[in-house]
Structures are given as C-alpha cells and as structure tokens.
Amino acid sequence: MYLILWNAGVLGILIPQVLAMKINYDGDQVLQIIPQHKDHVVCLQHMCSSLQLDLWKPLQPEDINVRSVVHVRIPSMALQPVKEAMLHCSLSFKVLVDNLAHLIGDPEAKRSRMRRSLSDYDYTKYHPMEDIYSWINLMTEQHSDLVTQHNLGLTYETRPMHYLKISKPSSGPKKSIWMDCGIHAREWIAPAFCQWFVKEIVQNHEKDSRIKKILKNIDLYVLPVLNIDGYIYTWTTERLWRKSRSKHENGTCYGVDLNRNFNVKWCSLGSSTNCTSNLYCGESPVSEPETKAVVNFMETIKSELICFLTIHSYSQYILTAYGYSKDLPKNFNETITVASKAASELKKKHGTVYRVGSFANLLYEASGTSQDWVHDLGVQFSYTIELRDNGTYHFILPEDQIQPTCEETMAGVLTIIEYVNDKYFGNQASTKCGSLHIYTFLSAVLTTVLLT
Ligand SMILES: *[C@@H]1O[C@H](CO)[C@@H](O)[C@H](O)[C@H]1NC(C)=O
Ligand SMILES: *[C@@H]1O[C@H](CO)[C@@H](O)[C@H](O)[C@H]1NC(C)=O
Ligand SMILES: *[C@@H]1O[C@H](CO)[C@@H](O)[C@H](O)[C@H]1NC(C)=O
Ligand SMILES: *[C@@H]1O[C@H](CO)[C@@H](O)[C@H](O)[C@H]1NC(C)=O
C-alpha cells in the first residue's frame, strides 16, 4: 500500500491523507509554467516544496529559473488550491495534460499476451517485466550464435538483472560498448528502445555493412531494464514512480534515485538526502544492489570499455560529462562533435530535434550519475540520451510513437558507435577501398607492361 502525505504547508491548504492500492491519477493535470521574474520563481519553488509536488522539469524546486520551462503534475485534489496560489502570485500556466488518467489508460488491459515465439513479439508496445524476461530467453535461445544472456546481479527485491552480450567470434583484440535502459522506472520508452536495438542488430548483422563492421571489433552489452523493481512497480501500482524500491527509515519511505547513487561527488548537487525525495541519493555511495552490480561489472570490463550509453526520457537531449560540474572535460569538443553528428542523423529520420551539450550546462547540475562515474573511470565516450518527447506526453509517450522514436534513436546511437569503432579500429570500409585502389593501380601497371 502506498501512502501519500500532503503537507498542509505555508499556503494554509489542508489536504487529507490518501490511501490507495493503485494510483489512478484521475483528474490529475500536468501544467506548464514559465516564471517571468524572480518573484514568480520564489512563489513556484515555495508551492512545489510545501506541497511536495511531483516536478517533472526540472526535478527539484531549486533548479527552477526565470524564463525556463517548468512541468509539474498536480494531483486532482490540489488543483484548486494550486491554481488559486498561482493567481495570487500572478503566475500564468498552461494545462498540458487535462486528465492524466485518460492519458495513461490501463496498459495492462490493452496488452496482447506474450506468446512463445520471438517473431510474434510486438516491439511497438510497452511490455511488463515478465514479457521482457521471456523476450530475453527467446532472444538468446534463437540467436545463441550471436546473443548470450548473463546475470549482472540481483535487485533489492532479489530479481535477476539479466543483460545481453552481442558478440561475434574474433581472433583480434576487441573493445566493448555498454548500454542500459530504464534506470528510472517511469521512462518506459527506454526499455522499449533497448529491446528494439537488440532486435535491429540481430536482424541486420549480416546485411548491414556498418553493423557487420562494428561487430568485427566490438562486443555490445545491453541491460534492457536496470531498475527492474521500480519498473514492475510502475505497472502494478504507480505509473509515475521514478526510483528503485529499497526500504528506508523503517518503511516510511521507499526507493533511491539510482542515477544519483554512483560514487562521483555523491549527493552534493541536484540530489537529496531526504528519502521521501524523488532525488534521494541513498544512504551512502553505491548503497544499492543495482548500482553495485553495474559498478562491479564496469570495473571488470573497464580496460576494454570505449563507450557507455544510458537511455532515459524525456526532453530530447544527448548529454555528455559532467553533470557534477559546469566545467568541461578535456575531450568535450570531440564528444560533442560526435553527439551533434548523432543528433543530425537522428533528425533525418522523422525530423525530431535533439539538443546536445554537457549535462550540467544543458539540464542542471547533478552528482552521482552513472555517466560521470563511468567517464571518470576513463571511458571517453559516456552519454546520457533523453528520448522523446519534449513536453506533450512526457513519461506517457503513446505507443504509436515507439517505432519512430526507436528508428530515429537507432540512427543516432549507431552514429556514435560507428565513430568510436572507427576511432579505435580505423574505418575498415575505407581500408577495403584502399586495397581496391591498389588493385586498380596494379592492374593498370600490368596492362601497361603487357601492352609494351
Ligand atoms: C526504526 O525502528 C527502530 C526499532 O523500532 C527504532 O529504534 C529506530 O529509531 C527507527 N528508526 C527510524 C529512522 O525511525
Ligand atoms: C523530508 O521531506 C519531507 C517532505 O518535505 C518532510 O516532511 C520531512 O520532514 C523531511 N525529512 C527530513 C529528515 O528532513
Ligand atoms: C574546443 O572548440 C572551441 C571552438 O572550436 C575552441 O575554442 C576550444 O579551444 C576547443 N577546446 C579544446 C580543449 O580543444
Ligand atoms: C520542443 O522542441 C521545440 C524545438 O526544439 C521547441 O521549439 C519547443 O519549445 C519545445 N517544446 C517544449 C514544450 O519544450
């Protein structure tokens, strides 16, 4: 059971405690507010903290700024007082989502049952965790020459964290690329993309010369759902849950923001030590079994790891190090050039505009992120990718956008992967081209010799 405690707060509003099994969000709205001056900012910050509102953009009241967009979910019972408070501060707002319950619907009711066949798997639907577990099994059974299944560790609620290794036999030395999805539970498009990515690689590794080239040199590791406990919780109980599900303070609050729990300037910026917060950084660095599992594995493969990709939503960004500082890392120019190229390839598919930049400069400062921890481990190309959309459906991206989102993201991600491949191994396609020139040259010489 989940308990929401609404703080009466300084606004003098009295909201009763709510006890519910499954949160249905009936009548909840998502508002967009753009504060125009400092007083607006203060008023909004005050309202968000005192009412503990679920801020979506930015994630905490401290990061609200003049003339930057704010997205916030208002529970139906707080709508009236919130709107009055905004009127009082002369803040104007726009209703982005009129009734969240309508937008969310009942995904469980809509879904088609998973069948025992990979060819029936519908990549254009969101899948509950049990389907994803079966999908992992089917994928490794039916493509055992290319895909193997491994266990990274166990979640807090002791579920296995399966990841896939996509690897072709090779005699030469290889490098590795890591991709994880779903570190934040409610960002459903992320796990959908990880599955799409694996499908695309498996289906095209023989006919697509670029994928063929990459797999010659590189092993791909894919963790389809990092925060499995949280993901399941979004299906069973609370669609907009973000964190993991570990228990704190004798069960008075749950979950850690796993992307604030890594040991890199831990809990100093854009995080909270209060376990009720969506940005709770945990009791200590790497306190959570999920982050421990990732850290242990990254330590094991770090000498071969050349690129790290962590997939999120929403906002349409490709972000580079650092989150914990506005300073830029040494190789920033190169990482940003690659990201821009990826964004432009991505845009070519469906016209979707992505912005690129460093996490702290483009979004907000945040310490304890996996992207920064891995970057400081020595991995030069470490990216956070925030998928669609940029503010209409937020975390509730409709299923009809799964395919276009995955298609364009694939184009972007492959651009990054090809770049790092060519950087570490040279562009072997052009080597072939080189030998062709030599061949042409030799045959020309030979022809000349024969003719004289
Ligand atoms: C948790 O419960 C124990 C035993 O009942 C108590 O001693 C402790 O103070 C509690 N801790 C918190 C944070 O409430
Ligand atoms: C954590 O935050 C909640 C909600 O803002 C507040 O009621 C509580 O007192 C805070 N706990 C601590 C230990 O600061
Ligand atoms: C990065 O690029 C900018 C603009 O092209 C240049 O001014 C700057 O010196 C470069 N920085 C590094 C570290 O190469
Ligand atoms: C979405 O992206 C477009 C283009 O980048 C931008 O103009 C627009 O303001 C964005 N919408 C929101 C709600 O942020």
Side-chain angles (χ1 to χ4, degrees), residues 89-152:
C89 301
S90 55
L91 262 173
S92 53
F93 60 87
K94 184 172 139 195
V95 178
L96 291 183
V97 179
D98 183 50
N99 186 341
L100 254 178
H102 294 162
L103 189 56
I104 291 172
D106 185 1
E108 191 75 56
K110 272 192 306 192
R111 82 188 189 90
S112 55
R113 284 266 135 203
M114 165 83 188
R115 298 197 197 95
R116 283 292 308 162
S117 149
L118 202 53
S119 53
D120 289 342
Y121 198 80
D122 191 345
Y123 291 90
T124 67
K125 295 272 185 299
Y126 295 116
H127 290 274
M129 199 58 217
E130 54 186 296
D131 282 14
I132 301 177
Y133 274 129
S134 323
W135 172 82
I136 292 172
N137 287 333
L138 291 170
M139 190 48 94
T140 48
E141 277 164 30
Q142 293 182 22
H143 299 279
S144 53
D145 53 328
L146 188 62
V147 188
T148 50
Q149 180 185 153
H150 308 267
N151 193 6
L152 199 69

Side-chain angles (χ1 to χ4, degrees), residues 242-258:
R242 169 180 167 92
K243 299 186 286 180
S244 64
R245 290 297 301 161
S246 52
K247 196 166 156 182
H248 303 277
E249 315 242 327
N250 291 343
T252 55
C253 48
Y254 288 84
V256 166
D257 182 344
L258 298 174

Side-chain angles (χ1 to χ4, degrees), residues 7 49 52 249 273-277:
N7 190 336
S49 357
Q52 277 188 269
E249 315 242 327
T273 52
N274 186 330
C275 63
T276 64
S277 165

